[in-house]
Amino acid sequence: MIEFFTEPWQHVFMQRAFLVVLMSGVVCGVIGSHVALRGMAFIGDAVAHAVFPGIAIAFALQTSLVVGGIVAGLVTALAIAVVSQNRRLKEDTVIGVFFAAAFGLGIVVMSTAPGYGGSLESFLFGSVLGIGSADVITVAIAGAVLLLTTGVLHKEFVTIGLDRETARAVGLPIFWLDMAMYAMVTIAIVISIQAVGNILVLALLITPAACARLLTDRIGRMMLIAPAIGALSGLTGLYLSYAFNLAAGGLIVLTATAVFVACWVFAPRHGLLSHRRKIATAALPARP
């Protein structure tokens, strides 16, 4: 039993994978809490598609994938924010147009690069076992910056998430805070794509936060529970991947989903069983 936990750490590639998954889980858990609080899951999906052309261009030019993805995500986020000012178009409509276009551009660019098929598969589904030392350092630095920025802007983000009109009334710069959140979501997604892939990265951003939302009513606790679930899901998925020789990204997401189902059923105050107990108790006749 002990060998199950210790054996993967004897391989350098697994050590790197564990570190990246751990950091990605923590960062996505924290950022994802704000995303869930503001009902921005669709934004997360859009950004996940938007970073793809930047990564594809960086791959074709043999430059930093992280930088390429961040630049593409920020450009797309800015375009969405600007075009959304037109009141004839709803924000979700603009998002749908831009993320479909961005993903299509990414596929076209990827098709021009050597080794197109295998490279596209690694971007879509993740290649956490092929992460290099430079990638680990990049993820660590970007993750630290994200967590620090989240701490500095926490009150402002929470205020906007709970009541945008109140935030606007007290003079908060809504547009720029939205842009800051888009930028942070972009960076969190880019550093996590190598772990779970472009298609599955939204789950790492949203699912742990959804679990935390079911487990607590306090935002502070949610910010602690979500990254813990994200990190635990990542580590568990990697162990299962190593033990059964299955896709790491898929198992990480399935582990997080299993935790969500458990929370949905067993959460002390907001779970299915708790809700049914409350209904049954309310239906009991009052004692004389």
Side-chain angles (χ1 to χ4, degrees):
M1 184 65 177
I2 297 179
E3 292 182 356
F4 177 80
F5 293 100
T6 59
E7 185 178 348
W9 289 91
Q10 298 175 10
H11 305 285
V12 175
F13 70 92
M14 287 298 296
Q15 295 172 10
R16 294 170 181 165
F18 277 124
L19 289 174
V20 168
V21 165
L22 181 63
M23 291 184 289
S24 297
V26 170
V27 170
C28 283
V30 173
I31 303 299
S33 295
H34 285 293
V35 172
L37 189 65
R38 297 176 62 177
M40 290 174 56
F42 192 42
I43 292 288
D45 192 24
V47 171
H49 287 74
V51 302
F52 186 58
I55 292 176
I57 292 172
F59 175 79
L61 298 177
Q62 298 297 306
T63 58
S64 173
L65 303 184
V66 173
V67 174
I70 290 174
V71 171
L74 292 180
V75 170
T76 306
L78 179 61
I80 290 172
V82 171
V83 177
S84 295
Q85 302 304 309
N86 187 326
R87 300 188 178 216
R88 292 283 297 174
L89 298 173
K90 290 186 178 181
E91 188 179 33
D92 58 350
T93 302
V94 177
I95 290 171
V97 170
F98 274 92
F99 88 62
F103 199 71
L105 175 60
I107 293 177
V108 171
V109 173
M110 283 294 296
S111 67
T112 66
Y116 160 67
S119 301
L120 179 60
E121 183 178 354
S122 67
F123 287 130
L124 293 180
F125 305 111
S127 57
V128 68
L129 301 183
I131 289 175
S133 299
D135 296 320
V136 176
I137 295 173
T138 301
V139 170
I141 295 174
V145 171
L146 280 181
L147 294 177
L148 179 61
T149 305
T150 304
V152 172
L153 298 177
H154 175 74
K155 291 182 179 179
E156 288 80 0
F157 284 152
V158 171
T159 303
I160 294 176
L162 295 178
D163 192 339
R164 290 180 69 87
E165 295 305 318
T166 298
R168 185 175 286 108
V170 299
L172 290 180
I174 304 294
F175 177 82
W176 293 110
L177 286 170
D178 283 345
M179 286 303 302
M181 177 57 66
Y182 292 162
M184 294 167 66
V185 170
T186 298
I187 298 172
I189 285 174
V190 169
I191 66 176
S192 304
I193 277 179
Q194 295 177 92
V196 295
N198 185 275
I199 291 179
L200 301 176
V201 70
L202 184 65
L204 196 60
L205 187 72
I206 299 300
T207 306
C211 295
R213 188 77 170 149
L214 289 170
L215 294 174
T216 182
D217 296 321
R218 296 181 177 271
I219 295 175
R221 290 180 183 174
M222 184 178 176
M223 296 293 172
L224 296 175
I225 294 173
I229 292 175
L232 181 62
S233 299
L235 295 177
T236 303
L238 266 186
Y239 272 114
L240 294 175
S241 171
Y242 181 85
F244 299 105
N245 193 29
L246 296 173
L251 284 173
I252 291 171
V253 171
L254 288 177
T255 301
T257 304
V259 175
F260 172 78
V261 172
C263 293
W264 179 71
V265 175
F266 300 108
R269 295 185 60 184
H270 304 292
L272 177 64
L273 296 182
S274 175
H275 181 65
R276 289 187 174 180
R277 282 196 297 269
K278 290 178 182 178
I279 294 177
T281 302
L284 292 176
R287 292 184 179 181

